[in-house]
Amino acid sequence: MESLGTVALVLGGGNALGAYHGGAFTAIAAEDVRVDWIVGSSIGAITAALIAGSAPERRVATLQEFWHRAASTSGEASWVPKEWRQPLQVASALQARLFGRPALFHPRLLESSWAKDQPGLYDVTPFRNTLIEMVDFDRLNDGPTRVCVVAVDVETGEEVVFDTRNERIGVEHLLASAALIPDFQPVTINGRVLVDGGLADNVPVDVVLSEPPDLPLTCFALDLFPTHALPPAHLLQAAQRQSDLMFANQTRRSLRDQREIWRLRRPGHPASVHWLEYRGTSDEIAMKSYDFSGAILKRRWHIGEQDMRAALRVWRETPARSSGLMVYPPMQHPDAFEASDDVARQSG
């Protein structure tokens, strides 16, 4: 198994878009790259636990099984004419919204959703049971892969990072990181009421970059929302673009801030960030994060695998640096970053 320095994987939130993570990790496993550190928020935290909480030879199979359980049979199929795809995607997302997914969540009764001690539209008991069944929490906490999951204190707005170097991560920490209010109710841990990490740090790359590395560091940061897209042509696309920008720009700001911090640091081991983002296709809908149709999940998985193969190729072909931070944006755009010596522009 190959490792050149420390390899970190940072996984962002995005609910059903997280199948992209599975494909990306499949490419990593196929090239026998050892991942030393995984940081995740929301569905990224779930993916981190499924990977680190499985035997190395079972990790891809575990991710496949998770998304098989999450998938629905409704929605787009390969034979469906293009003009029918968006209506079927809407139907698939509405099905998940109205009826839930058996392995993940189901709607509460209306009166339960308004109860004082249960502020959430969905019951995540199936999700809890799925995670308990599929994640080996002893392996997750005691194994060689460091894991961090990010949540947000709903009272203070403060980011809360749980790190296997400092504490044991259990199913409650995963549910807290994925508790996107008002859909899913907050989770209380150590007296703090916690919600989805994506509300503050959807791709928590700063968790990795804020810690001066002991060895040369390579970070693959996977964003499930695109920073760049064509202007919306109709209302559904406008709604989709709104949610994309709210989350994707968090990553842009984090990387810009870290670039400035690294400029002021004393010379040390170098770091590179390969920033990948799921761009999907132009026909995906505003409710895409609730579209669990099997064909869409397979497409996202495939795109993740392709994107990570390209990122690994860039990583292997780029000469090593002696110090500083190098950021490889996912697409080449003139306004992605200011031109500078420590930023390399690469096509995704």
Side-chain angles (χ1 to χ4, degrees), residues 132-340:
I132 290 172
E133 178 186 348
M134 297 192 69
V135 176
D136 180 341
F137 284 95
D138 287 333
R139 183 184 291 272
L140 167 65
N141 287 284
D142 302 326
T145 306
R146 180 181 179 184
V147 176
C148 298
V149 302
V150 179
V152 174
D153 187 317
V154 75
E155 293 183 279
T156 67
E158 180 184 1
E159 296 168 36
V160 180
V161 180
F162 298 104
D163 186 342
T164 54
R165 280 194 175 179
N166 305 319
E167 59 203 307
R168 296 190 71 80
I169 289 176
V171 67
E172 296 299 322
H173 301 84
L174 304 181
L175 293 174
S177 183
L180 182 62
I181 53 175
D183 291 353
F184 310 115
Q185 74 179 71
V187 177
T188 301
I189 298 176
N190 298 329
R192 304 186 78 170
V193 182
L194 304 174
V195 294
D196 195 297
L199 295 174
D201 200 359
N202 197 49
V203 182
V205 66
D206 53 301
V207 173
V208 172
L209 295 178
S210 295
E211 186 174 303
D214 297 327
L215 295 169
L217 170 68
T218 302
C219 175
F220 296 97
L222 277 60
D223 201 331
L224 299 179
F225 298 95
T227 51
H228 290 80
L230 295 174
H234 52 73
L235 189 60
L236 284 177
Q237 287 184 357
Q240 173 187 313
R241 193 65 187 134
Q242 179 198 50
S243 62
D244 287 348
L245 290 171
M246 284 192 300
F247 289 107
N249 277 328
Q250 293 181 19
T251 312
R252 186 203 299 267
R253 287 192 297 271
S254 292
L255 289 171
R256 283 180 170 166
D257 289 347
Q258 286 297 326
R259 186 184 62 177
E260 297 304 317
I261 291 169
W262 274 71
R263 280 178 172 168
L264 299 174
R265 277 184 178 172
R266 296 174 60 183
H269 291 292
S272 61
V273 177
H274 296 261
W275 178 15
L276 291 73
E277 60 181 25
Y278 172 65
R279 295 184 291 278
T281 59
S282 60
D283 62 349
E284 279 198 296
I285 59 171
M287 291 188 291
K288 60 186 177 180
S289 62
Y290 273 89
D291 184 357
F292 287 90
S293 56
I296 289 289
L297 296 184
K298 288 180 181 178
R299 182 196 299 176
R300 292 167 183 165
W301 185 288
H302 178 66
I303 292 172
E305 191 169 358
Q306 286 186 316
D307 287 355
M308 182 55 77
R309 283 178 180 167
L312 291 170
R313 190 162 53 247
V314 170
W315 174 45
R316 295 183 191 284
E317 294 174 356
T318 302
R321 291 168 58 89
S322 59
S323 64
L325 173 64
M326 180 85 76
V327 176
Y328 296 85
M331 293 182 289
Q332 186 171 356
H333 290 279
D335 59 343
F337 284 98
E338 297 176 4
S340 66

Side-chain angles (χ1 to χ4, degrees), residues 8-216:
L9 186 60
V10 180
L11 305 171
N15 207 1
L17 304 177
Y20 179 85
H21 295 156
F25 185 78
T26 299
I28 290 173
E31 298 203 23
D32 208 27
V33 176
R34 188 187 72 209
V35 177
D36 305 289
W37 188 3
I38 312 178
V39 181
S41 183
S42 196
I43 191 63
I46 306 305
T47 306
L50 292 168
I51 294 170
S54 297
E57 68 276 11
R58 287 285 307 160
R59 288 172 170 175
V60 172
T62 297
L63 292 169
Q64 290 172 332
E65 174 63 19
F66 176 81
W67 288 105
H68 175 73
R69 295 186 188 192
S72 70
T73 55
S74 64
E76 180 191 343
S78 58
W79 53 267
V80 171
K82 186 174 181 180
E83 59 271 19
W84 291 5
R85 290 180 180 177
Q86 276 202 343
L88 286 174
Q89 290 173 36
V90 171
S92 176
L94 286 175
Q95 181 189 58
R97 277 294 200 178
L98 293 172
F99 304 109
R101 295 300 310 133
L104 303 178
F105 57 88
H106 59 76
R108 297 182 186 276
L109 295 175
L110 184 59
E111 59 270 22
S112 298
S113 298
W114 289 92
K116 185 176 181 180
D117 61 339
Q118 294 182 333
L121 294 173
Y122 301 101
D123 184 341
V124 296
T125 299
F127 197 15
R128 178 193 302 275
N129 294 337
T130 296
L131 292 173
I132 290 172
E133 178 186 348
M134 297 192 69
V135 176
D136 180 341
F137 284 95
D138 287 333
R139 183 184 291 272
L140 167 65
N141 287 284
D142 302 326
T145 306
R146 180 181 179 184
V147 176
C148 298
V149 302
V150 179
V152 174
D153 187 317
V154 75
E155 293 183 279
T156 67
E158 180 184 1
E159 296 168 36
V160 180
V161 180
F162 298 104
D163 186 342
T164 54
R165 280 194 175 179
N166 305 319
E167 59 203 307
R168 296 190 71 80
I169 289 176
V171 67
E172 296 299 322
H173 301 84
L174 304 181
L175 293 174
S177 183
L180 182 62
I181 53 175
D183 291 353
F184 310 115
Q185 74 179 71
V187 177
T188 301
I189 298 176
N190 298 329
R192 304 186 78 170
V193 182
L194 304 174
V195 294
D196 195 297
L199 295 174
D201 200 359
N202 197 49
V203 182
V205 66
D206 53 301
V207 173
V208 172
L209 295 178
S210 295
E211 186 174 303
D214 297 327
L215 295 169

